[in-house]
Amino acid sequence: MSFSYLAGLTEAQKYAVTFGEGPLLVLAGPGSGKTRVITCRIAFLLEAGIRPDQILALTFTNKAAQEIVDRVVSLTGQKGIWIGTFHGFCARLLRRYARLVGLEENFTIYDEGDSLRVLRRAVERAQFPLVSHSLSDVAAAIHRAKNQLQLPEFFMPKDSAVPLELWRQVYAAYQEELRRQNAVDFDDLLLHVARILGEHPDIRGELDDRFRFILVDEYQDTNLAQYAIARALAIDYPNLTVTGDPDQSIYRWRGATLRNILEFEKDYPHVTVVRLEENYRSTGRILRVADALIARNRLRKPKHLFTRNPEGRPVRVLIFKSEQEEALGIAEEISRAVSSRQRRFRDFAVFFRLNVLSRPLETAFRQSGVPYQVVNGTEFFRRKEIQDLLAYLRIVVNPRDDEAFARICQTPPRTFGVRTLDRIREFARQRGLSLAEAIQEEDLFRELSPRMRKPLCEFAEMLRKLMEIPYGGAEAFVRTILDQSGYLQYLKAEGTPEAQERLANVEEFISVTRQFDLRHPGGGSLEQFLEEVALASDPDRWDETDDCVALMTLHAAKGLEFPVVYIVGLEQGLLPYEDSWRDMEELEEERRLLFVGITRAREELTLTRAVYREFRGQRRLTIPSPFLLELPRGEVEIEDRSEEQVGFVLEATSPVEERGQNFDLARGPECFLKQEENPRKPEGRLYLAKELLPHEADKSATEVPVTAGSLVLHVDHGLGRVVEVAEDEGEWLEVEFFALGRHLRLSPTDPRIRILPRKNT
């Protein structure tokens, strides 16, 4: 055995790589070489005599899985290891054991749109009242239930006026409709496999015996179903290695349970814990900013991040007047750096909390001639023409897929419409048939008018021919579908600019099929191709070799790194998001999200905020993010480009240009920030969102008197001025909010507001 890959590993990394049997927890800070440890450990196991098919490695993105595959092949030359995402692994298992949960192996994986259409029919069938709950609310409740492994009969929704029995009926009706169409939603992949492992001990034991060594990456992001699957496969042979970082757990909103990694030592009392704390990615200053920020969280495993990299430049905080100036300012800085040949466009990334924040950035980048790519891998596959093509492929694989049938029978437009489709649905429902089966029935044609029979008969014949096309690779198959379905001719005949754009997207889709064929020289299968598309994640279609700026959400940035990073929108209500301050766990997750964004930066990091921001149809005066105050003062430079009050409420009138920017950032969010003493500059105070909340300590403090003219800060509406104080029918205040441009009537004890003190004269 050569074990040459051990050269250059630290002692901690080497220990984790060469660990023998038993449970192993690797607490890996950002940029600590976690992926290298995973791939080297797989290589070590292979060289130690473990067969490739006895090793299972699970991660959360296809991009991460492919990187591990490539590195393992490079190190060992061996293939045949099960390396993939949790959902991909479960999809493969479920095809093998589909009949145990009432499915066929050619089941379809529905995306969010198809799932919602199925759910709407289930809601109608169960007569569930969409009054106090929207369809999205019902979908979210079922999503949470599945992540918690709750079946319909045990479904316990939170705080609802709708009777429990109705909730369970709609959940059951939804699952029954999915089964009827031989389909699953994203959550079912995990739920069904967890059920199979729990209800069939022989299958669980067989898989446990097969996968002698299991590695789970990003363990902090697992939900209860993923936890149950990993535990079930490591009972007889508990050689379970999990890697992760509680400080990078950012998926609570989709069911991730931080407790899984925090309590791993309770699950496995004899576990060995290895900490990887040396960062190889970021400069010293960036790392200290990240470390100081995350140290404020309580739900974590303490560790000290360090690096031997250069100190680098200070982290910048830039303050702009508006989101437009924020975007233009970033675009201009990038243009200058590239024009001076200091950087390439692909060196830059801009992160934001919400997708909607990308709009002004995209506008500014287009105006400035800055090439960019919005990293959203699923967005391409949601385009109408791509969804149309996928529907043709899905109906060929799974003729019971009624959602696909409904789509293709109307695209290209045909001479029968929605009313005929409704007739087909009713005919199929009465006889327990799928829509594709129904149009092969002579009895259906007898019920239709002669005018409808011919076009429907032609469609049925076309569908029959499509299902007879032999599969000779994804690209060839799609080209044949495009030709025989008439879809390509339909787009060409339309002749509009929009149609030309759709044609370009179709060509791009063909490129996707060609890439699939190259990855599967043995042929692959249409089912495999559709599965890859269904399980695509945001970074999957991002090409890091393209010379363009990457725009993405903070969630999509997980696992990536860039020389230069901008994080925009450091404002209360955006980061941290909305009402997260009301819940300690949610606020800590928002802090972790910023920590993840910060630690993507290798050399330069800039945080930005706008004094005014147009958001959800309203232009508001923003409140600085409390996270800005948690950054270590010695590592941060603040530059005000706003020519505004930038969140200051001055206690004395003074020209804007006379205000200083040397904030005492070290004192934390519990106190007001004051400028350094300077006889030429008036004292100012930066009010933060956290100060607007009620504190027990405030009860003993002297209350600020409120009169007409007093200034008020509101958590949602920003700065305002009291125009009237009245006491009829209870005391109330009439407040003019500058960003709203109108008055609101509020109670002076409203916890969302804070009366700002005036300077003593």
PDB file of all heavy atoms in Angstrom, residues 47-65:
ATOM      1  N   GLU A  47      -7.889   0.898  -0.178  1.00  0.00           N
ATOM      2  CA  GLU A  47      -6.557   0.295  -0.091  1.00  0.00           C
ATOM      3  C   GLU A  47      -6.463  -0.676   1.080  1.00  0.00           C
ATOM      4  O   GLU A  47      -5.605  -1.570   1.073  1.00  0.00           O
ATOM      5  CB  GLU A  47      -5.493   1.397   0.027  1.00  0.00           C
ATOM      6  CG  GLU A  47      -5.331   2.205  -1.250  1.00  0.00           C
ATOM      7  CD  GLU A  47      -3.951   2.840  -1.377  1.00  0.00           C
ATOM      8  OE1 GLU A  47      -3.022   2.369  -0.691  1.00  0.00           O
ATOM      9  OE2 GLU A  47      -3.812   3.789  -2.151  1.00  0.00           O
ATOM     10  N   ALA A  48      -7.345  -0.511   2.061  1.00  0.00           N
ATOM     11  CA  ALA A  48      -7.355  -1.426   3.205  1.00  0.00           C
ATOM     12  C   ALA A  48      -8.125  -2.709   2.895  1.00  0.00           C
ATOM     13  O   ALA A  48      -8.250  -3.578   3.760  1.00  0.00           O
ATOM     14  CB  ALA A  48      -7.954  -0.736   4.420  1.00  0.00           C
ATOM     15  N   GLY A  49      -8.679  -2.822   1.678  1.00  0.00           N
ATOM     16  CA  GLY A  49      -9.327  -4.056   1.271  1.00  0.00           C
ATOM     17  C   GLY A  49     -10.843  -4.031   1.268  1.00  0.00           C
ATOM     18  O   GLY A  49     -11.488  -5.045   0.984  1.00  0.00           O
ATOM     19  N   ILE A  50     -11.451  -2.891   1.588  1.00  0.00           N
ATOM     20  CA  ILE A  50     -12.913  -2.788   1.545  1.00  0.00           C
ATOM     21  C   ILE A  50     -13.349  -2.683   0.086  1.00  0.00           C
ATOM     22  O   ILE A  50     -12.794  -1.903  -0.691  1.00  0.00           O
ATOM     23  CB  ILE A  50     -13.406  -1.550   2.334  1.00  0.00           C
ATOM     24  CG1 ILE A  50     -12.864  -1.572   3.769  1.00  0.00           C
ATOM     25  CG2 ILE A  50     -14.924  -1.484   2.328  1.00  0.00           C
ATOM     26  CD1 ILE A  50     -13.261  -2.795   4.554  1.00  0.00           C
ATOM     27  N   ARG A  51     -14.331  -3.512  -0.313  1.00  0.00           N
ATOM     28  CA  ARG A  51     -14.803  -3.483  -1.693  1.00  0.00           C
ATOM     29  C   ARG A  51     -15.524  -2.173  -1.995  1.00  0.00           C
ATOM     30  O   ARG A  51     -16.191  -1.604  -1.115  1.00  0.00           O
ATOM     31  CB  ARG A  51     -15.760  -4.644  -1.965  1.00  0.00           C
ATOM     32  CG  ARG A  51     -15.147  -6.025  -1.826  1.00  0.00           C
ATOM     33  CD  ARG A  51     -16.015  -7.054  -2.551  1.00  0.00           C
ATOM     34  NE  ARG A  51     -17.442  -6.867  -2.328  1.00  0.00           N
ATOM     35  CZ  ARG A  51     -18.145  -7.478  -1.368  1.00  0.00           C
ATOM     36  NH1 ARG A  51     -17.538  -8.306  -0.520  1.00  0.00           N
ATOM     37  NH2 ARG A  51     -19.433  -7.260  -1.254  1.00  0.00           N
ATOM     38  N   PRO A  52     -15.432  -1.660  -3.235  1.00  0.00           N
ATOM     39  CA  PRO A  52     -16.123  -0.409  -3.585  1.00  0.00           C
ATOM     40  C   PRO A  52     -17.613  -0.436  -3.285  1.00  0.00           C
ATOM     41  O   PRO A  52     -18.173   0.561  -2.826  1.00  0.00           O
ATOM     42  CB  PRO A  52     -15.856  -0.268  -5.092  1.00  0.00           C
ATOM     43  CG  PRO A  52     -14.578  -0.995  -5.313  1.00  0.00           C
ATOM     44  CD  PRO A  52     -14.608  -2.158  -4.352  1.00  0.00           C
ATOM     45  N   ASP A  53     -18.278  -1.577  -3.548  1.00  0.00           N
ATOM     46  CA  ASP A  53     -19.721  -1.629  -3.333  1.00  0.00           C
ATOM     47  C   ASP A  53     -20.110  -1.730  -1.863  1.00  0.00           C
ATOM     48  O   ASP A  53     -21.295  -1.750  -1.529  1.00  0.00           O
ATOM     49  CB  ASP A  53     -20.342  -2.780  -4.130  1.00  0.00           C
ATOM     50  CG  ASP A  53     -19.859  -4.148  -3.652  1.00  0.00           C
ATOM     51  OD1 ASP A  53     -18.829  -4.196  -2.943  1.00  0.00           O
ATOM     52  OD2 ASP A  53     -20.508  -5.150  -3.979  1.00  0.00           O
ATOM     53  N   GLN A  54     -19.120  -1.799  -0.962  1.00  0.00           N
ATOM     54  CA  GLN A  54     -19.410  -1.807   0.467  1.00  0.00           C
ATOM     55  C   GLN A  54     -19.306  -0.413   1.087  1.00  0.00           C
ATOM     56  O   GLN A  54     -19.476  -0.256   2.294  1.00  0.00           O
ATOM     57  CB  GLN A  54     -18.434  -2.751   1.190  1.00  0.00           C
ATOM     58  CG  GLN A  54     -18.652  -4.229   0.867  1.00  0.00           C
ATOM     59  CD  GLN A  54     -17.679  -5.121   1.603  1.00  0.00           C
ATOM     60  OE1 GLN A  54     -16.482  -4.843   1.662  1.00  0.00           O
ATOM     61  NE2 GLN A  54     -18.189  -6.197   2.180  1.00  0.00           N
ATOM     62  N   ILE A  55     -19.012   0.572   0.262  1.00  0.00           N
ATOM     63  CA  ILE A  55     -18.860   1.949   0.743  1.00  0.00           C
ATOM     64  C   ILE A  55     -20.004   2.797   0.193  1.00  0.00           C
ATOM     65  O   ILE A  55     -20.299   2.774  -1.004  1.00  0.00           O
ATOM     66  CB  ILE A  55     -17.500   2.538   0.302  1.00  0.00           C
ATOM     67  CG1 ILE A  55     -16.355   1.692   0.851  1.00  0.00           C
ATOM     68  CG2 ILE A  55     -17.367   3.988   0.775  1.00  0.00           C
ATOM     69  CD1 ILE A  55     -14.992   2.071   0.295  1.00  0.00           C
ATOM     70  N   LEU A  56     -20.637   3.557   1.070  1.00  0.00           N
ATOM     71  CA  LEU A  56     -21.712   4.469   0.685  1.00  0.00           C
ATOM     72  C   LEU A  56     -21.355   5.870   1.181  1.00  0.00           C
ATOM     73  O   LEU A  56     -21.085   6.058   2.365  1.00  0.00           O
ATOM     74  CB  LEU A  56     -23.042   4.027   1.312  1.00  0.00           C
ATOM     75  CG  LEU A  56     -24.222   4.996   1.197  1.00  0.00           C
ATOM     76  CD1 LEU A  56     -24.638   5.183  -0.256  1.00  0.00           C
ATOM     77  CD2 LEU A  56     -25.420   4.491   2.027  1.00  0.00           C
ATOM     78  N   ALA A  57     -21.340   6.851   0.276  1.00  0.00           N
ATOM     79  CA  ALA A  57     -21.066   8.241   0.648  1.00  0.00           C
ATOM     80  C   ALA A  57     -22.244   9.104   0.220  1.00  0.00           C
ATOM     81  O   ALA A  57     -22.641   9.091  -0.948  1.00  0.00           O
ATOM     82  CB  ALA A  57     -19.776   8.738  -0.012  1.00  0.00           C
ATOM     83  N   LEU A  58     -22.799   9.847   1.172  1.00  0.00           N
ATOM     84  CA  LEU A  58     -23.985  10.661   0.917  1.00  0.00           C
ATOM     85  C   LEU A  58     -23.685  12.129   1.189  1.00  0.00           C
ATOM     86  O   LEU A  58     -23.063  12.468   2.200  1.00  0.00           O
ATOM     87  CB  LEU A  58     -25.143  10.207   1.820  1.00  0.00           C
ATOM     88  CG  LEU A  58     -25.601   8.766   1.637  1.00  0.00           C
ATOM     89  CD1 LEU A  58     -26.618   8.393   2.708  1.00  0.00           C
ATOM     90  CD2 LEU A  58     -26.207   8.572   0.251  1.00  0.00           C
ATOM     91  N   THR A  59     -24.134  12.991   0.270  1.00  0.00           N
ATOM     92  CA  THR A  59     -23.973  14.427   0.464  1.00  0.00           C
ATOM     93  C   THR A  59     -25.261  15.118   0.044  1.00  0.00           C
ATOM     94  O   THR A  59     -26.283  14.457  -0.153  1.00  0.00           O
ATOM     95  CB  THR A  59     -22.740  14.947  -0.305  1.00  0.00           C
ATOM     96  OG1 THR A  59     -22.542  16.318   0.016  1.00  0.00           O
ATOM     97  CG2 THR A  59     -22.911  14.776  -1.801  1.00  0.00           C
ATOM     98  N   PHE A  60     -25.202  16.454  -0.139  1.00  0.00           N
ATOM     99  CA  PHE A  60     -26.450  17.184  -0.349  1.00  0.00           C
ATOM    100  C   PHE A  60     -26.597  17.821  -1.725  1.00  0.00           C
ATOM    101  O   PHE A  60     -27.678  18.283  -2.071  1.00  0.00           O
ATOM    102  CB  PHE A  60     -26.625  18.252   0.742  1.00  0.00           C
ATOM    103  CG  PHE A  60     -27.220  17.685   1.993  1.00  0.00           C
ATOM    104  CD1 PHE A  60     -26.425  17.022   2.911  1.00  0.00           C
ATOM    105  CD2 PHE A  60     -28.575  17.767   2.244  1.00  0.00           C
ATOM    106  CE1 PHE A  60     -26.959  16.465   4.050  1.00  0.00           C
ATOM    107  CE2 PHE A  60     -29.127  17.210   3.385  1.00  0.00           C
ATOM    108  CZ  PHE A  60     -28.318  16.562   4.290  1.00  0.00           C
ATOM    109  N   THR A  61     -25.530  17.893  -2.507  1.00  0.00           N
ATOM    110  CA  THR A  61     -25.654  18.440  -3.865  1.00  0.00           C
ATOM    111  C   THR A  61     -24.980  17.502  -4.855  1.00  0.00           C
ATOM    112  O   THR A  61     -24.004  16.817  -4.518  1.00  0.00           O
ATOM    113  CB  THR A  61     -25.017  19.840  -3.985  1.00  0.00           C
ATOM    114  OG1 THR A  61     -23.592  19.736  -3.833  1.00  0.00           O
ATOM    115  CG2 THR A  61     -25.567  20.802  -2.947  1.00  0.00           C
ATOM    116  N   ASN A  62     -25.504  17.487  -6.068  1.00  0.00           N
ATOM    117  CA  ASN A  62     -24.903  16.669  -7.115  1.00  0.00           C
ATOM    118  C   ASN A  62     -23.480  17.136  -7.413  1.00  0.00           C
ATOM    119  O   ASN A  62     -22.615  16.325  -7.744  1.00  0.00           O
ATOM    120  CB  ASN A  62     -25.762  16.754  -8.384  1.00  0.00           C
ATOM    121  CG  ASN A  62     -27.141  16.160  -8.179  1.00  0.00           C
ATOM    122  OD1 ASN A  62     -27.272  15.069  -7.637  1.00  0.00           O
ATOM    123  ND2 ASN A  62     -28.168  16.875  -8.592  1.00  0.00           N
ATOM    124  N   LYS A  63     -23.273  18.452  -7.302  1.00  0.00           N
ATOM    125  CA  LYS A  63     -21.947  19.010  -7.580  1.00  0.00           C
ATOM    126  C   LYS A  63     -20.921  18.458  -6.587  1.00  0.00           C
ATOM    127  O   LYS A  63     -19.820  18.060  -6.966  1.00  0.00           O
ATOM    128  CB  LYS A  63     -22.007  20.536  -7.503  1.00  0.00           C
ATOM    129  CG  LYS A  63     -20.804  21.243  -8.108  1.00  0.00           C
ATOM    130  CD  LYS A  63     -20.998  22.745  -8.083  1.00  0.00           C
ATOM    131  CE  LYS A  63     -19.898  23.470  -8.807  1.00  0.00           C
ATOM    132  NZ  LYS A  63     -19.939  23.271 -10.261  1.00  0.00           N
ATOM    133  N   ALA A  64     -21.281  18.434  -5.295  1.00  0.00           N
ATOM    134  CA  ALA A  64     -20.378  17.902  -4.275  1.00  0.00           C
ATOM    135  C   ALA A  64     -20.139  16.413  -4.491  1.00  0.00           C
ATOM    136  O   ALA A  64     -19.009  15.923  -4.349  1.00  0.00           O
ATOM    137  CB  ALA A  64     -20.960  18.153  -2.884  1.00  0.00           C
ATOM    138  N   ALA A  65     -21.202  15.684  -4.831  1.00  0.00           N
ATOM    139  CA  ALA A  65     -21.062  14.243  -5.062  1.00  0.00           C
ATOM    140  C   ALA A  65     -20.134  13.965  -6.239  1.00  0.00           C
ATOM    141  O   ALA A  65     -19.269  13.077  -6.175  1.00  0.00           O
ATOM    142  CB  ALA A  65     -22.439  13.619  -5.311  1.00  0.00           C
TER     143      ALA A  65
END
